[in-house]
Amino acid sequence: MTSKTSNPTVNKWLQEMKDLLTPDNIVWIDGSDEQREALREEAVKLGELTKLNQEKLPGCYLHRTNPNDVARVEDRTFICSKTKENAGPTNNWCDPDEMYEKLYSIAKGSYKGRTMYIIPYSMGPIGSPLAKVGIEVTDSVYVVLNMLIMTRVSLKVLEVLGDSNDWVRGLHSRCDVDPEKRYICHFPEDNTIISVNSGYGGNVLLGKKCFALRIASYQGWKEGWMAEHMLILGLQNPKGEVKYVAAAFPSACGKTNLAMLIPPEYLRKKGYKIWTVGDDISWMKIGPDGRLYAINPENGFFGVAPGTNEHSNFNALESTKKDTIFTNVALDLNDNTVWWEGLNKNLPENALDWKGNPWDPAKFNKADKTTCAAHPNSRFTAPAANCPCISEEFDKGAGVPISAIIFGGRRAKCAPLVYQSKDWVNGVFVGSAMASETTAAAAGAVGVVRRDPMAMLPFCGYHMGDYFQHWLEMGEKLGDKAPKIFNVNWFRTDDEGNFVWPGFGDNMRVLNWIIDRCEGKADATETAIGYVPKPEDIDLTDLDMDMDTLKSILKVDKDVWTKEAEEIEEHYKKFGDRLPEELSEQLANLKANLAKM
Ligand code: GTP
Ligand code: SPV
Ligand code: MN
C-alpha cells in the first residue's frame, strides 16, 4: 500500500485495517474537484446516487438509505471506556477488548470486492489551534461524498499532523446493513470509532457526532475545553457590532433554523442581521483574553429537510441549491428535483417517496407519518460556503467570543419562552436538568419527554456527572468573563396543541432580549427559576400577538415546576456520588424558591 504520510501510527493502523477488511482497491481521498466528480459518477453507476436536474440543482444528488437505517440508533451506540463506571449511567457500555473482538469479527473481510477509501480530514479550519485531525476508512462512496461536504478533506491535514499520534481513527463498514449487527462504538481512551452495518448520516459520517461530540467531549474534559451540541451565530446590531451566542437544543429542535434566521422586517430595516458560524457543533476554549472562544468544527450542514422552506429557513434552502446531497426526500419526477413535507403547498403529482415507491398525494395525511413522501428525518448535506449568511469568521481558526449560552428544547407546558439563569452555576443546573420531547432524529418513540442534559444525552463520551463537574470548572476558570446562560422554549402549546410562539425569524425578538441582558440594558423579573423578561421588553412589533398571550408563555407555574423539580430529583439520582454537590444545592434552592411562591 503506497502511503501519503510517514506518520508511523497512521501507517500502522491503515495496514491493520487493510489486513482486516481485505479490500480489492485502496483509494486516498485528496479533496480535489476531479476526484469528487469521478466519485459522483461512480456513485450514480453503483445506484447509490440519483443525479438531479443539473440546471435547477447543479451538483446535486439524491440518496435513499435502507428503510431500516434512517436515523441514529442510540440503543446500538456504545462508549467502550476501560471501566463501565467511566461511561456513566447514560451510555451503553461494553468492555473494549470484547467489543473490538466482536466488531472485528463482523468487519473481517467485509471490503472484499470493494474499495477502501481513506479520508484524511480536519475538524475545524486546517491548522487552527482548535482543530483536530481524523482519518476515516469506509467502503461507501456516499460516505466519502458526504465527508467531502461536512469536513475539510485534504492531504494537507497529514502535513499538519506530522508524526503526532493525536488523531482519531474511524472505521466504517456498511457490511450488510443488518440492524441486528449494527454497532456505533467509541473507544475514547484509544481515539477510535468503529461503525458497522449502517449507511445513515449520524452513524457513519464519523467526523460528526462520533468524533466532534463523543470523542471530543472526552478530549475536552481531559484537555480543558468543551465540545458541545450547539449552533453558533453572530447577531449584528445597527451599529455594526456583532455579538456571538451558542445554543444547545436536542436533535431536530431548531438549531439549524436559529443559526440562519432572518430577522423580522422591522428589525432588518433597522440594520439587524444574523451571521451563521455553525448549526450543530461547537468546540470552545478559553482564549488569551480569558473569554470563551468557539469554532464550528464542521464544513457543511447535515440539516433536517421537512419543514425547511423559503419562509421558515430561506438561508438553509438557498444552501441546498448546489453541490448538495439529499437523503430520503421525495423525488419529483416531473422535473427531476426534490420535495419534502413543508417545502411548499404543491404536493407533487408524479413523485417517488423516500423509499423509491410511487407516491399518491391524494393519500397524504399530515397526521400519519407513514403517508409522508419524505422521511421525517430526511436530510440535506450542504456546503457551508453556500449559505448566504455564513459568517466571515467561519473559516478563521481563532474562533468567536461567546457572550451567551442558550439551552432549549421542546416543552409543551413547562419552560417559559425565555429566562436567564442567576449565574454560571445556576446555568449549569438549568442545562443539566433540560428535558425535551423526542424527535425523528433518533430511532424510537417520538414526542416523549426525556431529560437531555445540555442536549448531550446521546453524545457525551464519558460519565455525565463528570461532564457537569467539567462545566462547573470551566465556569470557575472563566470567572466574570463567563458567558451568561439562558433557556428558551419555542414550543409552548395552547389548549388545542398549537404552538403559541411564531418561532423561526421571530425568535430574533428573544435573541435581542438576551443580548440586552448581557449588556445590562434590559430589565427582568426574578422568579423561582431565574430572570424572566418583563412582557413589555419582548418587542411584538408587527406580530399578531397580544400581551396576554405573551404573558401566558412567560408564566412560571408553581404546580408545573414543583412536579418538574421532583422529576429533576429523580433524574439526578442516576448520577450517584458523581453528581456535583453544587447541583444538588441548586435543586434544593429551586424547591425552596417554589415553596415560597
Ligand atoms: P439536528 O440537525 O437534528 O441537530 O436538528 P436541529 O436542532 O438543527 O433542528 P432544525 O433547525 O433542523 O429544526 C427541526 C425541526 O424543528 C424542523 O421541522 C423545523 O421546522 C422545526 N423548528 C425549528 N425552529 C422552530 C421554531 O422556532 N418554532 C417551531 N414551531 N418549529 C421550529
Ligand atoms: C442529530 O441527530 O442531532 C443530527 C443528525 O444532527 S445526525 O448527524 O444524524 O446525528
Ligand atoms: Mn444535531
Side-chain angles (χ1 to χ4, degrees):
M1 179 170 56
T2 52
S3 186
K4 303 281 182 192
T5 169
S6 57
N7 183 309
T9 58
V10 172
N11 289 330
K12 179 165 174 280
W13 183 74
L14 287 175
Q15 186 63 45
E16 279 169 28
M17 290 302 105
K18 180 179 169 233
D19 294 344
L20 172 75
L21 304 161
T22 61
D24 282 17
N25 300 303
I26 294 178
V27 173
W28 279 85
I29 304 300
D30 59 17
S32 69
D33 291 345
E34 301 76 46
Q35 189 185 45
R36 181 186 59 171
E37 204 42 54
L39 287 167
R40 285 170 165 177
E41 278 170 33
E42 166 94 9
V44 171
K45 240 189 271 156
L46 289 169
E48 283 204 36
L49 292 184
T50 302
K51 197 172 194 161
L52 295 166
N53 184 326
Q54 295 297 297
E55 264 159 42
K56 291 187 175 169
L57 298 167
C60 294
Y61 295 81
L62 167 68
H63 174 78
R64 297 189 189 100
T65 65
N66 189 310
N68 77 30
D69 188 28
V70 294
R72 286 181 293 99
V73 279
E74 295 179 1
D75 56 338
R76 308 203 67 93
T77 300
F78 286 76
I79 301 297
C80 305
S81 42
K82 291 202 174 79
T83 68
K84 185 173 193 320
E85 177 67 0
N86 283 347
T90 56
N91 285 310
N92 299 311
W93 176 84
C94 179
D95 173 73
D97 291 336
E98 214 176 287
M99 193 51 110
Y100 276 123
E101 206 181 299
K102 185 194 293 214
L103 297 173
Y104 283 169
S105 81
I106 292 172
K108 192 171 188 287
S110 63
Y111 284 17
K112 216 175 178 48
R114 305 176 64 83
T115 298
M116 172 162 113
Y117 298 101
I118 305 174
I119 314 170
Y121 64 95
S122 175
M123 295 313 286
I126 297 176
S128 154
L130 282 106
K132 293 233 178 215
V133 169
I135 299 179
E136 174 167 354
V137 299
T138 179
D139 57 341
S140 159
V141 194
Y142 169 74
V143 168
V144 174
L145 289 168
N146 273 285
M147 287 293 284
L148 283 167
I149 299 172
M150 294 305 297
T151 73
R152 291 159 170 99
V153 176
S154 167
L155 297 178
K156 264 191 258 154
V157 309
L158 298 170
E159 286 167 35
V160 170
L161 184 64
D163 274 348
S164 163
N165 190 23
D166 183 8
W167 58 281
V168 172
R169 295 117 177 99
L171 159 59
H172 167 245
S173 179
R174 277 184 35 143
C175 301
D176 308 314
V177 205
D178 178 352
E180 300 300 321
K181 291 189 189 153
R182 185 168 297 153
Y183 291 99
I184 320 298
C185 298
H186 309 71
F187 302 85
E189 287 120 339
D190 302 343
N191 270 357
T192 297
I193 305 156
I194 302 179
S195 162
V196 291
N197 277 296
S198 175
Y200 165 76
N203 298 332
V204 299
L205 308 179
L206 301 184
K208 195 174 178 59
K209 295 307 181 12
C210 300
F211 176 173
L213 288 180
R214 298 195 190 95
I215 297 286
S217 61
Y218 173 84
Q219 294 176 327
W221 176 44
K222 294 286 165 183
E223 297 166 11
W225 52 282
M226 304 166 92
E228 299 295 335
H229 192 200
M230 290 179 180
L231 69 93
I232 309 162
L233 65 79
L235 187 152
Q236 182 173 323
N237 70 16
K239 284 189 244 157
E241 300 160 343
V242 184
K243 294 272 154 41
Y244 295 91
V245 308
F249 311 154
S251 302
C253 289
K255 289 183 298 303
T256 302
N257 275 272
L258 190 69
M260 298 179 191
L261 80 71
I262 296 181
E265 196 185 352
Y266 83 97
L267 287 173
R268 270 198 325 267
K269 281 192 179 145
K270 284 188 189 169
Y272 284 93
K273 190 165 169 40
I274 293 292
W275 299 103
T276 308
V277 181
D279 81 323
D280 198 51
I281 298 176
S282 170
W283 283 1
M284 304 191 283
K285 214 179 209 165
I286 299 176
D289 62 357
R291 295 187 66 190
L292 192 60
Y293 282 77
I295 62 160
N296 169 11
E298 301 191 279
N299 202 26
F301 311 120
F302 185 55
V304 177
T308 305
N309 62 55
E310 60 183 10
H311 306 291
S312 65
N313 196 347
F314 173 87
N315 289 316
L317 195 63
E318 276 300 298
S319 306
T320 67
K321 299 230 165 122
K322 62 176 188 203
D323 298 322
T324 292
I325 299 173
F326 296 92
T327 299
N328 293 338
V329 300
L331 178 62
D332 186 340
L333 294 169
N334 243 0
D335 59 353
N336 196 29
T337 57
V338 286
W339 192 83
W340 50 79
E341 280 67 24
L343 174 62
N344 52 44
K345 297 208 165 77
N346 319 322
L347 307 198
E349 293 294 331
N350 182 20
L352 299 182
D353 69 10
W354 65 275
K355 292 182 186 166
N357 298 322
W359 184 68
D360 184 353
K363 291 197 183 131
F364 174 60
N365 163 13
K366 223 175 157 183
D368 178 1
K369 293 285 180 205
T370 64
T371 67
C372 285
H375 187 274
N377 191 39
S378 55
R379 295 201 175 235
F380 51 79
T381 322
N386 286 359
C387 182
C389 58
I390 195 73
S391 162
E392 60 182 41
E393 299 296 321
F394 167 74
D395 255 331
K396 296 189 186 154
V400 294
I402 298 298
S403 299
I405 286 175
I406 307 172
F407 295 121
R410 293 177 183 263
R411 293 306 296 273
K413 297 294 167 213
C414 189
L417 177 64
V418 57
Y419 66 101
Q420 183 185 1
S421 66
K422 295 184 181 172
D423 53 32
W424 180 272
V425 178
N426 182 236
V428 175
F429 169 71
V430 170
S432 75
M434 247 170 85
S436 188
E437 292 154 23
T438 52
T439 65
V446 169
V448 182
V449 174
R450 71 167 183 185
R451 296 287 142 193
D452 188 350
M454 283 86 171
M456 283 289 278
L457 180 71
F459 308 119
C460 183
Y462 60 107
H463 194 296
M464 251 195 165
D466 295 339
Y467 170 77
F468 298 152
Q469 183 62 38
H470 180 44
W471 265 82
L472 293 170
E473 281 165 20
M474 289 298 293
E476 267 168 43
K477 286 188 202 151
L478 286 158
D480 61 5
K481 302 219 170 85
K484 305 281 185 267
I485 300 182
F486 296 80
N487 192 88
V488 298
N489 179 18
W490 316 138
F491 301 95
R492 284 274 282 252
T493 54
D494 61 19
D495 293 340
E496 279 83 53
N498 302 308
F499 295 125
V500 178
W501 179 248
F504 301 99
D506 290 309
N507 293 333
M508 182 74 184
R509 301 166 194 268
V510 173
L511 289 179
N512 273 347
W513 182 78
I514 287 174
I515 296 296
D516 283 349
R517 283 296 293 173
C518 292
E519 295 179 343
K521 288 186 196 153
D523 206 349
T525 306
E526 187 168 353
T527 72
I529 62 170
Y531 301 108
V532 174
K534 304 250 182 219
E536 60 273 21
D537 287 337
I538 299 291
D539 192 338
L540 297 182
T541 303
D542 294 343
L543 257 196
D544 184 20
M545 178 178 278
D546 55 42
M547 270 297 162
D548 284 343
T549 311
L550 177 62
K551 281 180 192 160
S552 76
I553 54 173
L554 289 176
K555 184 166 180 227
V556 178
D557 185 279
K558 179 173 176 170
D559 293 342
V560 170
W561 274 93
T562 303
K563 186 161 165 278
E564 183 75 0
E566 282 162 17
E567 285 172 21
I568 296 168
E569 184 155 22
E570 217 34 58
H571 158 66
Y572 268 5
K573 282 186 188 154
K574 274 205 287 286
F575 305 106
D577 61 6
R578 293 220 200 178
L579 181 78
E581 218 157 280
E582 287 97 320
L583 296 186
S584 315
E585 284 163 18
Q586 286 287 327
L587 176 59
N589 286 348
L590 173 65
K591 285 179 156 178
N593 292 342
L594 287 166
K596 279 186 260 165
M597 260 176 92

